Amino acid sequence: MSDRSRNWWGWGWAEEALGDDEVAGLAQMVRERFADRDFSVIPAPDIAEVGLAPPRVDVPAALSGLVRTDDEDRARHTYGRAYRDVVRAVGGEFAHPPEMVIRPGDEADVVSVLDWAAEAGVKVVPYGGGSSVVGGVGATIEDAPDGWVSLDLTEMDRVLEIDEVSGAALIQGGALGPGIEAQLKAHGQTLRFFPQSFEFSTLGGWLATRAGGHFATGPTHIDDLVESMRVVTPAGVSESRRLPGSGAGPSHDRAFLGSEGALGVITEGWMKIRPRVGWKTSAGVEFTTWNDGVAAARELARSHLQPSNCRLLDAGEAQLSLGVEVGALLVLGFESAGEPLEAWMQQALELCFEHGGAAPGGVTTSSPTRDEEPVGDAGSVEAWRSAFMRAPYLRDGLIRCGVLIETFETACVWSDFDELHTQVTNDVLSALRGIVGDGQISCRFTHLYPDGPAPYFTVMAPTRRGSEVAIWDEVKTAASEAIGRSGGTITHHHAVGRDHHRWAQTQRSEVQRQMLSATKERLDPDALLNPGVLVDRA
Amino acid sequence: MSDRSRNWWGWGWAEEALGDDEVAGLAQMVRERFADRDFSVIPAPDIAEVGLAPPRVDVPAALSGLVRTDDEDRARHTYGRAYRDVVRAVGGEFAHPPEMVIRPGDEADVVSVLDWAAEAGVKVVPYGGGSSVVGGVGATIEDAPDGWVSLDLTEMDRVLEIDEVSGAALIQGGALGPGIEAQLKAHGQTLRFFPQSFEFSTLGGWLATRAGGHFATGPTHIDDLVESMRVVTPAGVSESRRLPGSGAGPSHDRAFLGSEGALGVITEGWMKIRPRVGWKTSAGVEFTTWNDGVAAARELARSHLQPSNCRLLDAGEAQLSLGVEVGALLVLGFESAGEPLEAWMQQALELCFEHGGAAPGGVTTSSPTRDEEPVGDAGSVEAWRSAFMRAPYLRDGLIRCGVLIETFETACVWSDFDELHTQVTNDVLSALRGIVGDGQISCRFTHLYPDGPAPYFTVMAPTRRGSEVAIWDEVKTAASEAIGRSGGTITHHHAVGRDHHRWAQTQRSEVQRQMLSATKERLDPDALLNPGVLVDRA
């Protein structure tokens, strides 16, 4: 697919990581924002200097062809790609790496690995693209005192079957976003599931974490796009029938959506696909105030219009990601495979104008022409998307010059939103002021439901060398407590992992914790899978 | 709400049941269809002649104010309202009635009933409106050898709170459809959930059975409309947070959606509501062949148009319910609270015309005018809906003149549909020919998904006096086996109950049966709740 290589310590492609000069430039920009701090550039880490402890477990002979134990691979699989992970990696801190990385080639291999692990008393952490920002794909010493292996599924990366009549494809769990799209494109089809981690996350990872997708409204979560799944659990294989809808008891697939590798390994899924997009129309709508933008977003979400894109950025976000000075900016778009969308955009704009919005850049529309590729994104949507995909590389650069930069997200009902927004903003700023004396927070909506938004916050502050993780921990706690107190969920689409576990448990009633435990004990009686995630450690 | 009374032996209101003359008229009509059979009219049953066995369990003193033990109430709660139930009731067969009917006034009463039942060793069958057509609300002698009580939730019928900003209402589990709508209407709001059983089914029943709603496409199942739920289980109360979306682990509410009273009693739910509808547009589109209609329905389901109504009737259904002679009839409609819909209907009709459709009756449109009630249904949709609501009363009349009349439904992916349609039709007709020598079957689509339809079959045949249940059982088996073999689900929205249990279990893999059992054992360790439903009898 590419001769680029994956960065073993930070986000994405090694070749796309910011160079020292670019990081120095970032440091200069940050100095203007936060005066009188140490923003000197930390060098990128060198794998030769890291010195990982040798594996504590022997490579199983029968699986040896699937196993790698070299330092770079083990280091790359030690963490996900959260702020804290990159801080530790840049600092050369790899105290508890996996003993080995195992890459199964098929479902039988997955079964063999689980059998071996049960025998050997070794924990297994399923690993897709490794892009977790919530501590979902590593293990602490408490999680796995006798060692753990990283089960990297990315060799299982094929689209096995396409049913164009129904609009569905059978895809292996280890397929990364670009591989899925490339294989579907040959048939004029698309899954159209584009999280920020698109290039570095897998179908199985999306399903295991209930990932949020491309569309701002309507069916967009991976939950909405799955017909059926196969999941290898230590107790056997769960397999569901391909069905567009069923009322035959509770959905078993729903028990695995969000199971985060703690109940089983998702090996394949029948996914709803669609013909590639032909028609697109987009506009950037500016509002004088955030509240006007929120009111317009709420009405759009409650209308029958269902825009494909409907991302509301506050002033800080618009400035950060697009360099636009505005009270609030709504990035609005519609798309369809086969029909024009003028009426949709017109009704949506009228609704925005009633809330004081203006669209100074007009509407950008593209339509298909025969023998041509389906159209690309256009206008505001394109500008927004390009900044969005670049953001994690920038984050890694900022980490290297001593900036705390963190994003977190939630969802709440509309009636709770104003209070949640105020509390989260105030509590985070107050924590930052108390700890590091400065900082900023901004907000956007990533997804909209008729009954509420999914707000996404970006925090940026100076931090102190050597105390990055402790400071992050305090800020994260302030944010998470404020979210819980004001009616939000601890995560809308980033998942729970180890970082959100205690708040996710608080969010459940005792009976619900019992339900999860009962399922875990039945499916994974030896607690092999992703320890420390989903249920309390045994 | 009404001075009408509920029919204790058949569907709906006693006053709406067909009179003897009307039944005689039906018999005459049926004689023309199926020659040389006994269609003499069986009298409606008389409760005074039924003679129920006395309760085998003493009324608990602490709950006595909630209990009724009179014959009519116990008889009414003995069965749901399936064909087989009405046959037995008309025949005066009430061998295993509930010992008593208990009507809790609040959640604390529900807890008390479960505590008492655990102590007394009595089974508890949660009962909403009692409209089950799959044996969901009774109990056999094997299910409850030591007796059972019917827990009628309909005293818990209030809308407790309305959040107009978010578009949600907190509604008690025992509220029936009309009560919900009347309470919401005072605020200009609606749940817009209109199953055929609307008048005789409750919110809790809908949630427990994953009921299918008003809209033919898009979010329409009760599953799609719920923000959060409270469920009383023998192990404690499950309560979820009101959230428009959440990625914090698997959804606990999903474990109760479809639990059919076997895991807990749903006492309340926050439900997504919407402003009452203002704009409506509808059309009846005729096709020369069923296959043309199916092709158009498939394209509509896969488009971005999302019609509110999109019911495709085959020739038999169109004739039966609307008296129209046509190859296939598509009942097409759009509705919205606030925006006109011309573009939507126009694009939908163009798509139908491309598949050979014609709309000889044109388009009926209604829009709101100030100071007026929101508009009613219009045109084809209205005619279809009125026949739809009347159908179960007709069924009871047909039963009284010796007709086997049964409906069953499924869902499958588009690529399986033709084969499923053929197999189900052939197998049912072949079974009918073998058993009773005659009969007919017709099909319509009740709901459409991008990846497949929900086909709904109506079977009508002569039957033999005294063997009605045995004959039904053979026909039901033929239909269910054909559905399973050709990739459909055993139920799309009628639920599983006792009638579909063995096929629902076959549809699950062993690991999935284990998951259900683990949850059942944790939540209901004494197997008190709705025995014989959801999991195999202990």
Side-chain angles (χ1 to χ4, degrees):
Chain A
M1 312 262 296
S2 155
D3 50 7
R4 291 183 290 186
S5 57
R6 288 292 299 276
N7 186 343
W8 65 269
W9 60 266
W11 185 263
W13 301 115
E15 292 75 9
E16 299 281 323
L18 269 57
D20 290 348
D21 287 356
E22 288 171 298
V23 177
L26 269 186
Q28 191 50 45
M29 188 197 87
V30 176
R31 267 183 208 104
E32 287 160 24
R33 209 175 276 257
F34 309 111
D36 302 326
R37 308 284 178 150
D38 175 11
F39 293 117
S40 59
V41 174
I42 309 161
D46 180 348
I47 189 65
E49 288 173 14
V50 165
L52 258 60
R56 296 173 295 164
V57 175
D58 289 336
V59 171
L63 301 169
S64 61
L66 314 174
V67 172
R68 279 183 61 181
T69 56
D70 62 279
D71 277 4
E72 184 171 319
D73 219 13
R74 289 173 66 210
R76 195 190 127 199
H77 288 78
T78 300
Y79 301 121
R81 290 297 178 267
Y83 166 81
R84 185 164 61 165
D85 298 330
V86 178
V87 166
R88 284 174 171 156
V90 167
E93 192 187 321
F94 289 88
H96 196 231
E99 319 311 321
M100 64 194 86
V101 179
I102 310 186
R103 290 184 169 82
D106 57 25
E107 197 177 279
D109 287 344
V110 174
V111 173
S112 300
V113 171
L114 295 191
D115 287 347
W116 164 76
E119 192 92 1
V122 174
K123 304 296 185 189
V124 177
V125 178
Y127 186 102
S131 67
S132 171
V133 291
V134 294
V137 294
T140 66
I141 187 74
E142 293 80 18
D143 294 333
D146 301 320
W148 64 287
V149 298
S150 181
L151 187 68
D152 182 320
L153 278 304
T154 50
E155 293 290 310
M156 295 172 63
D157 62 355
R158 278 175 305 145
V159 173
L160 299 173
E161 205 178 325
I162 295 183
D163 171 358
E164 287 189 39
V165 174
S166 307
L170 177 61
I171 306 175
Q172 288 188 301
L176 294 156
I180 293 171
E181 288 299 327
Q183 292 173 79
L184 294 177
K185 188 178 175 183
H187 302 263
Q189 304 286 317
T190 172
L191 180 61
R192 227 158 165 65
F193 187 79
F194 301 130
Q196 194 172 30
S197 62
F198 173 71
E199 293 174 278
F200 312 110
S201 54
T202 60
L203 176 67
W206 300 337
L207 292 165
T209 59
R210 306 182 65 185
H214 168 70
F215 299 100
T217 70
T220 180
H221 278 266
I222 201 74
D223 311 24
D224 306 319
L225 305 181
V226 63
E227 269 182 357
S228 68
M229 286 158 64
R230 279 181 74 90
V231 187
V232 176
T233 82
V237 177
S238 167
E239 182 179 14
S240 45
R241 187 175 285 190
R242 279 186 70 194
L243 292 170
S246 176
S251 160
H252 304 285
D253 287 346
R254 290 277 176 178
F256 290 109
L257 292 166
S259 61
E260 305 200 11
L263 298 181
V265 179
I266 298 165
T267 53
E268 54 187 55
W270 270 100
M271 304 301 301
K272 298 179 199 178
I273 58 173
R274 60 183 79 211
R276 289 170 68 80
V277 162
W279 294 82
K280 282 192 185 173
T281 176
S282 73
V285 184
E286 303 186 3
F287 296 90
T288 318
T289 70
W290 169 244
N291 284 343
D292 286 345
V294 171
R298 173 179 168 275
E299 275 216 41
L300 279 169
R302 289 168 59 72
S303 77
H304 65 138
L305 296 167
Q306 221 171 88
S308 310
N309 207 320
C310 195
R311 263 90 191 184
L312 184 72
L313 282 58
D314 74 3
E317 289 275 325
Q319 211 279 319
L320 261 183
S321 50
L322 295 171
V324 176
E325 299 290 341
V326 66
L329 176 69
L330 185 71
V331 181
L332 184 63
F334 292 86
E335 56 178 54
S336 85
E339 297 91 7
L341 296 152
E342 283 87 350
W344 281 250
M345 181 55 94
Q346 188 195 325
Q347 287 193 13
L349 285 177
E350 277 167 17
L351 191 155
C352 290
F353 298 161
E354 282 171 23
H355 287 88
V363 174
T364 310
T365 296
S366 48
S367 61
T369 44
R370 204 173 293 273
D371 298 329
E372 253 187 89
E373 273 292 278
V375 295
D377 280 303
S380 305
V381 170
E382 168 62 7
W384 171 82
R385 184 142 193 93
S386 145
F388 174 66
M389 299 305 276
R390 189 78 196 132
Y393 294 107
L394 277 175
R395 181 202 59 175
D396 289 357
L398 288 164
I399 289 173
R400 287 184 53 204
C401 51
V403 174
L404 166 66
I405 175 148
E406 169 70 344
T407 59
F408 57 88
E409 32 82 77
T410 182
C412 64
V413 292
W414 289 111
S415 56
D416 283 342
F417 172 68
D418 286 345
E419 183 62 21
L420 180 141
H421 184 246
T422 305
Q423 288 212 22
V424 169
T425 303
N426 290 350
D427 286 14
V428 167
L429 287 179
S430 149
L432 289 173
R433 256 180 248 115
I435 310 163
V436 293
D438 205 345
Q440 63 181 53
I441 183 168
S442 54
C443 181
R444 67 172 186 261
F445 291 162
T446 62
H447 298 81
L448 295 175
Y449 302 89
D451 51 339
Y456 187 104
F457 295 90
T458 302
V459 173
M460 214 164 106
T463 187
R464 273 193 304 278
R465 304 296 162 107
S467 304
E468 288 94 340
V469 171
I471 290 169
W472 172 87
D473 204 36
E474 282 190 62
V475 176
K476 180 77 183 170
T477 299
S480 302
E481 294 289 328
I483 283 173
R485 205 170 50 238
S486 46
T489 174
I490 189 59
T491 178
H492 171 260
H493 62 269
H494 278 176
V496 178
R498 286 161 188 80
D499 295 359
H500 290 149
H501 179 68
R502 64 178 152 131
W503 291 287
Q505 285 290 60
T506 311
Q507 205 166 309
R508 296 180 179 116
S509 57
E510 173 56 23
V511 164
Q512 296 174 338
R513 289 190 289 271
Q514 288 290 325
M515 290 163 74
L516 265 183
S517 295
T519 306
K520 173 77 174 180
E521 287 160 24
R522 188 68 60 110
L523 296 185
D524 182 19
D526 301 322
L528 292 180
L529 289 170
N530 219 0
V533 164
L534 200 63
V535 293
D536 294 332
R537 210 179 291 122
Chain B
M1 311 265 296
S2 155
D3 50 8
R4 291 182 291 186
S5 58
R6 287 291 299 276
N7 186 342
W8 65 270
W9 61 265
W11 185 263
W13 300 115
E15 292 74 9
E16 299 281 322
L18 270 59
D20 290 348
D21 287 355
E22 288 171 297
V23 177
L26 269 187
Q28 191 50 42
M29 189 198 86
V30 176
R31 266 182 210 107
E32 286 160 25
R33 212 176 276 257
F34 307 111
D36 303 325
R37 307 285 177 152
D38 176 11
F39 293 117
S40 58
V41 175
I42 308 162
D46 181 347
I47 189 65
E49 288 173 15
V50 164
L52 259 58
R56 295 174 295 163
V57 175
D58 289 336
V59 172
L63 301 169
S64 62
L66 314 174
V67 172
R68 277 184 60 181
T69 55
D70 62 278
D71 276 4
E72 183 170 322
D73 219 13
R74 289 173 67 210
R76 194 187 129 203
H77 288 78
T78 300
Y79 300 122
R81 289 299 178 264
Y83 167 79
R84 188 165 56 166
D85 299 330
V86 178
V87 166
R88 283 173 173 158
V90 167
E93 191 186 324
F94 289 87
H96 196 230
E99 320 312 319
M100 64 194 87
V101 178
I102 309 186
R103 290 184 170 78
D106 57 25
E107 197 176 282
D109 287 344
V110 175
V111 173
S112 301
V113 172
L114 295 190
D115 288 348
W116 163 77
E119 192 93 359
V122 173
K123 304 295 183 189
V124 177
V125 177
Y127 186 102
S131 66
S132 171
V133 290
V134 295
V137 295
T140 65
I141 186 75
E142 294 79 19
D143 293 334
D146 300 320
W148 63 288
V149 299
S150 182
L151 187 69
D152 182 319
L153 278 304
T154 50
E155 293 290 311
M156 296 172 63
D157 63 354
R158 279 176 306 146
V159 173
L160 298 173
E161 204 177 328
I162 294 184
D163 172 358
E164 285 189 39
V165 174
S166 307
L170 178 61
I171 306 176
Q172 288 188 303
L176 293 157
I180 293 171
E181 288 299 327
Q183 292 173 79
L184 293 177
K185 188 178 175 183
H187 302 263
Q189 303 287 318
T190 172
L191 179 61
R192 231 163 159 61
F193 187 80
F194 301 131
Q196 194 171 30
S197 61
F198 172 71
E199 294 174 275
F200 313 108
S201 55
T202 60
L203 177 68
W206 301 337
L207 292 165
T209 58
R210 307 182 67 184
H214 168 71
F215 298 100
T217 70
T220 180
H221 277 267
I222 202 73
D223 311 23
D224 306 320
L225 306 180
V226 63
E227 269 183 357
S228 68
M229 286 158 63
R230 279 181 75 89
V231 187
V232 176
T233 82
V237 177
S238 167
E239 180 179 17
S240 45
R241 189 175 283 190
R242 277 187 70 194
L243 292 170
S246 175
S251 160
H252 303 286
D253 288 344
R254 291 276 177 180
F256 290 109
L257 292 167
S259 62
E260 303 198 12
L263 299 181
V265 179
I266 298 165
T267 54
E268 53 187 54
W270 271 99
M271 304 302 302
K272 298 180 199 177
I273 57 173
R274 60 184 77 211
R276 287 171 68 80
V277 162
W279 294 81
K280 281 191 187 172
T281 176
S282 72
V285 184
E286 303 185 2
F287 295 90
T288 317
T289 70
W290 170 243
N291 284 343
D292 286 347
V294 171
R298 174 179 168 273
E299 274 214 43
L300 279 168
R302 290 168 61 70
S303 77
H304 65 137
L305 295 168
Q306 223 170 89
S308 310
N309 207 322
C310 195
R311 264 89 190 184
L312 185 72
L313 281 58
D314 73 6
E317 290 276 323
Q319 211 281 319
L320 260 183
S321 51
L322 295 171
V324 176
E325 298 290 339
V326 66
L329 175 70
L330 185 71
V331 181
L332 185 62
F334 291 87
E335 57 178 54
S336 86
E339 299 92 5
L341 296 153
E342 284 86 351
W344 281 249
M345 181 55 94
Q346 187 193 327
Q347 287 192 12
L349 285 178
E350 277 167 17
L351 191 154
C352 289
F353 298 160
E354 282 170 24
H355 287 88
V363 174
T364 310
T365 297
S366 47
S367 60
T369 43
R370 205 173 294 273
D371 299 327
E372 254 189 86
E373 274 292 279
V375 296
D377 281 301
S380 307
V381 169
E382 170 61 9
W384 171 80
R385 184 143 194 94
S386 146
F388 176 64
M389 300 304 277
R390 189 78 198 134
Y393 293 108
L394 277 176
R395 181 204 58 176
D396 289 357
L398 288 165
I399 289 173
R400 286 185 52 204
C401 50
V403 174
L404 166 66
I405 176 150
E406 169 71 346
T407 59
F408 57 87
E409 32 82 77
T410 182
C412 64
V413 292
W414 289 111
S415 55
D416 284 340
F417 172 68
D418 286 345
E419 183 62 21
L420 181 141
H421 184 246
T422 303
Q423 288 211 24
V424 169
T425 303
N426 290 349
D427 286 13
V428 167
L429 286 179
S430 149
L432 289 173
R433 257 181 247 115
I435 310 164
V436 293
D438 204 346
Q440 64 182 55
I441 183 168
S442 55
C443 181
R444 67 173 186 260
F445 292 163
T446 61
H447 297 82
L448 296 174
Y449 302 89
D451 51 340
Y456 187 104
F457 294 90
T458 302
V459 173
M460 213 164 109
T463 188
R464 273 194 303 278
R465 303 296 161 106
S467 304
E468 288 94 340
V469 171
I471 290 170
W472 173 87
D473 204 37
E474 281 191 63
V475 175
K476 182 75 183 171
T477 300
S480 302
E481 295 290 327
I483 284 172
R485 206 170 49 238
S486 45
T489 175
I490 188 61
T491 177
H492 171 260
H493 62 270
H494 279 177
V496 178
R498 285 162 188 80
D499 295 358
H500 290 147
H501 179 68
R502 65 179 153 132
W503 291 287
Q505 286 289 58
T506 310
Q507 205 166 309
R508 297 180 178 116
S509 56
E510 172 57 23
V511 164
Q512 294 174 340
R513 290 190 289 269
Q514 288 290 323
M515 290 164 74
L516 265 183
S517 295
T519 306
K520 173 77 174 179
E521 286 160 25
R522 188 68 61 108
L523 296 185
D524 182 19
D526 301 322
L528 291 180
L529 289 170
N530 218 1
V533 164
L534 200 65
V535 294
D536 294 332
R537 210 178 292 122

